[in-house]
Amino acid sequence: MSAPNETFLLGERLFSPEDLSSIVARVAGQIDADYQGVGESLVLLGVLKGALYFLSDLSRRIQAPHQIDLIGARSYDGTQSTGAVAITKSPDTDLTGKHVIVVEDIYDTGRTLATIEDYLRRHEARSVALCSLFAKRRGPVFPANLRYIGAEIDDRFIVGYGLDCDEAWRHLPYVAVLTSPSIADPS
Ligand code: 5GP
Ligand code: MG
């Protein structure tokens, strides 16, 4: 991205802290219903750094015993997807034989989650499910393995509650659209 953050403006607020809290509660309920009785073999694997806030709230809402871990993946530069996804940090724990739920901030092209899913299959996770707080409507359907979606949004660039633009706005307790004449479709 060439434009500095000063050229961006916070636009419409899409999700209040209360909205986010009810989304988290609903997703946690779905996960609890699906993973009853798997015990300590359940791992929530958050994708750094955007999913940190969601992961933290979700983990406290899920009643099923579980561990958390973190994986690093990077595809975006500013508001633009670079197309290639790199794993920048491996999980600390051995995920072999674990039921892993990948916790992501936002599903856009799906490349990040596909890369992480491939990583987990190679490391012989027992099962892999994908959970994303937000998912952008780009096509008619989302892939079947994207099992938990907090909220679907239009194809706009959003920030707050963990989601950033070049590290800015991550800390906002709500989610808003970032507006700029220079924002292009990140696909
Ligand atoms: P994908 O690989 O699915 O195309 O992109 C997913 C990643 O791109 C997300 O983990 C997130 O880091 C970034 N991303 C995609 N759309 C947005 C957006 O609207 N806002 C922010 N802040 N990041 C986004
Ligand atoms: Mg991300």
Side-chain angles (χ1 to χ4, degrees):
M1 188 189 73
S2 52
N5 274 330
E6 288 72 35
T7 64
F8 294 99
L9 293 170
L10 280 184
E12 184 189 350
R13 289 191 189 195
L14 296 183
F15 299 93
S16 67
E18 294 74 25
D19 296 332
L20 294 165
S21 173
S22 36
I23 288 170
V24 169
R26 176 174 49 76
V27 173
Q30 292 171 342
I31 290 173
D32 271 330
D34 291 348
Y35 287 85
Q36 272 176 11
V38 303
E40 292 294 332
S41 67
L42 175 60
V43 179
L44 300 187
L45 183 65
V47 184
L48 288 169
K49 300 176 199 171
L52 278 178
Y53 298 57
F54 178 42
L55 174 74
S56 164
D57 287 341
L58 188 65
S59 173
R60 282 175 286 186
R61 280 282 193 162
I62 292 174
Q63 287 174 14
H66 62 276
Q67 301 172 9
I68 64 161
D69 204 339
L70 297 165
I71 190 168
R74 189 174 165 78
S75 67
Y76 260 62
D77 185 10
T79 61
Q80 307 292 314
S81 177
T82 62
V85 180
I87 301 286
T88 53
K89 182 209 172 294
S90 306
D92 293 330
T93 51
D94 181 6
L95 298 176
T96 306
K98 304 281 189 183
H99 293 286
V100 180
I101 303 177
V102 182
V103 179
E104 173 64 306
D105 54 357
I106 185 162
Y107 181 94
D108 185 3
T109 64
R111 281 192 284 260
T112 301
L113 285 177
T115 303
I116 292 172
E117 189 175 11
D118 179 59
Y119 173 97
L120 292 171
R121 301 253 178 246
R122 280 188 281 112
H123 287 78
E124 298 182 353
R126 180 149 166 207
S127 70
V128 180
L130 308 179
C131 169
S132 190
L133 175 58
F134 300 113
K136 288 190 188 175
R137 280 184 218 103
R138 283 172 167 267
V141 285
F142 293 111
N145 60 358
L146 183 55
R147 202 181 302 163
Y148 309 101
I149 298 176
E152 295 180 29
I153 63 164
D154 293 330
D155 189 10
R156 294 192 284 178
F157 197 85
I158 58 173
V159 292
Y161 192 62
L163 290 98
D164 73 313
C165 177
D166 282 349
E167 299 300 328
W169 292 297
R170 214 188 272 290
H171 61 89
L172 298 176
Y174 54 86
V175 170
V177 176
L178 203 59
T179 60
S180 161
S182 64
I183 289 184
D185 181 351
S187 62

